[in-house]
Amino acid sequence: MYKFLINGGKKLSGKVDVSGAKNASLALMPAALLAPGVFKIDNTPDLMDVSTMSRLMETLGAGISLSGRLQTIDTVHVSNFEAPYELVKKMRASIYVLGPLLSRYGYAKVSMPGGCAWGPRPVNLHLEGMEKLGAEVSLDSGYIIAKAKKLKGARVNFDISSVGATGNVMMAAVLAEGTTVIGNAALEPEIIALGEMLIKMGAHIEGLGTSTVTIEGVADLHPVDFVNIPDRIEAGTFLVAGAMAGGTVTVDRCDPRHLSALLSKLEETGARLDVSSGSVRIEAPDHVNPVDVSTSPYPGFPTDMQAQWIAMMSRSTGSAVVTDTIYFDRFKHVPELVRLGADIEIKENVAVVKGVASLKGAKVMSTDLRASASLILAGLVAEGTTEVLRVYHMDRGYEHIEKKLRGLGADIERVQSDEF
Ligand code: EPZ
């Protein structure tokens, strides 16, 4: 086990490169199951979640390697169609193999993903989507069993916008017989990247980036080379770090078009932004203004930035209301931030954050990926030393985070810890 030791109060400045998008990689990789051959996906991040998906795909018979940012996936020998609990319980995105396996092989046995740190994460929309396409779906001792001789195109309308269910149904529909129309489709850039790769593989998809996606099934697809998009949540996390810890930070290799909701909220805090096509430079305000946010599906303010925003508002000059309309219980970071001296009240899915003059370093516990990010951000500005335990949560979604932060002047190091 490892923990981070952070000595707070250092101003951040300089340049940091954003890595490839975790939540795009986790969709692009299983999409390779739809065609036999060798895929090369560039700008792939070296993350725990990516290696978990690699291990899962290897149990299915795929060959996967990552050298630098270039991932090679060989799907010629895929011959097993079961995603075991041991791997699925580590990462909910494992459910993404359901659509491709069902579509290409007519059978998939995928463990139900457990909950996560902040509560139940249902997959009903995924299963209903597969049934709409003609699959027979049953649950048997914790496993989803899905069978279909040949999927048939259908109208699949989601009551709520779901990134994962949209991706799964897209991957199921591309080899189905006939036309599939997905209503209320997710607009997230990661889903658009998935659609673009599927089109490059030979799929017929119209309406990417709108809430109605139409897919004409084709007989087969072919392997491709593809370049992953930048990680907008990693980029956003570094921008918030820059706004909180003073100084001027340039976030490079990002796509500012994916960050518009966050950028306008950052400007309201008083930060000064200089946006170019592939990077954002942020100058921290002397004092952070309190700014309310309410998360919503893309292009709204991302729920994956909610914890980081609360960390920043804990040092604002007033009181800010942070509402999560996507996950009502994604606030495990709040009691830990309170240990650092933050003043935050939670009522259902609303956090009222009263800015305090200073935070004081303490020992805090990571509970999930974005919660850990918020604790690190708070540690960067807290007086004294903050110890963030269970940093494996960070390693799931942030590539070399302490190296990147040290490159900006932060005093952070990863040390061995026998504390669980
Ligand atoms: C994706 O999860 C992301 N993960 C999450 O990022 C992100 O928080 C989430 O989208 C929302 O933006 C990946 O892309 C791998 P959803 P996903 O289906 O697809 C409900 C991170 O930190 N829902 O869009 O699982 C669900 O409970 C991770 O990188 C159902 O009710 O999210 C939620 O309230 C955390 N039934 C809402 O929909 C379903 O079948 C949106 O969830 C599916 C979802």
Side-chain angles (χ1 to χ4, degrees):
M1 295 285 269
Y2 289 92
K3 63 185 174 183
F4 284 139
L5 290 185
I6 305 168
N7 291 315
K10 308 278 181 291
K11 260 194 181 190
L12 298 189
S13 59
K15 198 172 76 65
V16 62
D17 284 348
V18 171
S19 303
K22 164 178 88 79
N23 292 345
S25 280
L26 295 178
L28 301 176
M29 291 168 72
L33 295 167
L34 287 162
V38 176
F39 293 72
K40 293 205 180 292
I41 303 179
D42 205 348
N43 202 26
T44 296
D46 180 8
L47 298 169
M48 285 271 286
D49 276 6
V50 170
S51 41
T52 301
M53 182 61 83
S54 301
R55 283 219 310 285
L56 171 55
M57 288 179 61
E58 281 165 349
T59 60
L60 304 179
I64 303 209
S65 62
L66 179 64
S67 82
R69 293 192 180 112
L70 186 65
Q71 183 182 57
T72 303
I73 304 177
D74 180 346
T75 56
V76 172
H77 302 294
V78 169
S79 56
N80 171 30
F81 314 126
E82 291 198 19
Y85 172 67
E86 294 64 41
L87 285 170
V88 176
K89 74 177 179 193
K90 284 174 165 295
M91 183 183 66
R92 169 190 158 74
S94 307
I95 186 98
Y96 265 143
V97 301
L98 176 66
L101 288 177
L102 189 56
S103 184
R104 174 111 192 277
Y105 302 100
Y107 177 77
K109 181 176 176 185
V110 181
S111 166
M112 285 289 277
C116 66
W118 71 78
R121 300 278 297 278
V123 290
N124 59 308
L125 299 175
H126 297 247
L127 306 186
E128 287 156 20
M130 299 306 142
E131 286 175 329
K132 286 266 173 63
L133 293 171
E136 188 200 306
V137 178
S138 57
L139 298 183
D140 178 18
S141 34
Y143 277 82
I144 302 161
I145 318 277
K147 294 177 190 151
K149 263 210 191 51
K150 181 78 181 159
L151 292 176
K152 299 244 175 330
R155 177 175 296 283
V156 179
N157 199 69
F158 291 122
D159 296 345
I160 45 173
S161 166
S162 162
V163 174
T166 301
N168 235 334
V169 167
M170 277 169 62
M171 289 190 279
V174 289
L175 290 176
E177 222 156 63
T179 306
T180 295
V181 179
I182 303 175
N184 197 17
L187 309 176
E188 274 68 5
E190 295 75 26
I191 292 300
I192 296 176
L194 170 63
E196 285 169 352
M197 181 167 128
L198 291 170
I199 290 170
K200 201 173 174 189
M201 289 167 63
H204 294 172
I205 303 176
E206 303 279 328
L208 272 184
T210 75
S211 54
T212 303
V213 174
T214 304
I215 297 171
E216 294 297 334
V218 294
D220 49 34
L221 298 166
H222 54 80
V224 293
D225 294 352
F226 195 73
V227 181
N228 186 13
I229 59 173
D231 193 310
R232 60 194 168 97
I233 304 302
E234 185 195 12
T237 304
F238 282 117
L239 287 168
V240 169
M244 286 176 75
T248 301
V249 168
T250 299
V251 176
D252 249 356
R253 294 175 61 91
C254 70
D255 188 338
R257 295 171 301 176
H258 298 160
L259 292 161
S260 44
L262 176 70
L263 296 182
S264 55
K265 288 291 181 184
L266 282 168
E267 281 177 334
E268 286 180 47
T269 68
R272 283 173 301 288
L273 298 179
D274 179 14
V275 181
S276 64
S277 61
S279 80
V280 180
R281 190 168 62 86
I282 186 164
E283 263 177 68
D286 300 337
H287 302 289
V288 173
N289 302 327
V291 175
D292 298 350
V293 299
S294 178
T295 70
S296 60
Y298 192 87
F301 189 94
T303 173
D304 293 349
M305 284 301 301
Q306 177 256 98
Q308 300 90 316
W309 196 261
I310 287 184
M312 183 159 77
M313 290 300 112
S314 66
R315 292 271 291 110
S316 81
T317 53
S319 162
V321 177
V322 179
T323 307
D324 201 324
T325 70
I326 296 187
Y327 296 112
F328 281 35
D329 42 10
R330 191 181 191 173
F331 293 101
K332 292 280 179 300
H333 40 288
V334 168
E336 299 301 317
L337 289 167
V338 169
R339 283 178 50 73
L340 296 171
D343 177 352
I344 310 169
E345 302 268 319
I346 295 277
K347 202 159 172 302
E348 290 175 0
N349 64 326
V350 179
V352 178
V353 189
K354 288 196 182 68
V356 294
S358 66
L359 297 174
K360 299 252 173 328
K363 196 176 277 194
V364 288
M365 179 83 75
S366 302
T367 50
D368 59 85
L369 170 56
R370 307 305 173 180
S372 342
S374 78
L375 300 178
I376 289 172
L377 293 174
L380 293 175
V381 299
E383 285 165 13
T385 303
T386 297
E387 293 187 41
V388 181
L389 304 180
R390 296 187 184 175
V391 296
Y392 59 84
H393 289 292
M394 276 307 276
D395 294 334
R396 290 190 55 177
Y398 289 91
E399 197 180 49
H400 314 314
I401 183 75
E402 73 273 27
K403 229 165 78 194
K404 291 190 178 186
L405 285 171
R406 268 205 303 275
L408 292 172
D411 179 350
I412 176 172
E413 61 171 328
R414 179 189 292 253
V415 298
Q416 195 95 33
S417 159
D418 49 10
E419 289 164 282
F420 182 68

